[in-house]
Amino acid sequence: MSLWTRYSYAWITLILFLGAFIGHWTFGWFAYVDAQTQHGAPILVSEYLVEMGRDTMENWQSEFLQILWQVGGLAFFLFVGSPQSKEADDRLEEKLDLILRTLRPVDASDYIAEFDRRFPGRETGPKL
């Protein structure tokens, strides 16, 4: 699989981000020039960069970082196995153990022990 295909979501997100970022700074330039012209003030690139840098950081602080934490933090805690993420996994494993014991009552315990050995980190559920 190519780099473009494997990370297509990241590429699309980057393109959307850059489009929004460039649009924000472009329209900010037009607004800055208009405001300076109306007030008879000189148009200074350094002043524009400071103003737009401040506006960009305010936007990122209030919106981007909030969303980043909500999505990134949730993904992180699901990955490390918070109690909320483990509940569904434990329930699913118990159901699979029950199905395996129903279909293969003689050797189900051997299969479950082998799975537990190959994939550690799970406590074996109650024996039925």
Side-chain angles (χ1 to χ4, degrees), residues 19-92:
F21 188 77
I22 291 168
H24 175 70
W25 279 67
T26 301
F27 290 114
W29 173 255
F30 293 136
Y32 171 76
V33 168
D34 186 50
Q36 294 299 94
T37 304
Q38 286 180 6
H39 293 96
I43 298 170
L44 302 172
V45 174
S46 61
E47 190 176 297
Y48 163 75
L49 292 175
V50 169
E51 184 177 322
M52 286 305 294
R54 184 199 67 218
D55 291 348
T56 300
M57 295 315 287
E58 284 177 1
N59 277 340
W60 283 5
Q61 181 182 7
S62 65
E63 302 294 334
F64 180 71
L65 293 176
Q66 175 185 351
I67 296 298
L68 179 69
W69 168 245
Q70 289 174 349
V71 173
L74 177 62
F76 175 75
F77 284 121
L78 286 174
F79 175 75
V80 299
S82 69
Q84 290 79 10
S85 67
K86 287 188 61 139
E87 290 172 3
D89 290 344
D90 291 345
R91 185 168 185 253
L92 180 62

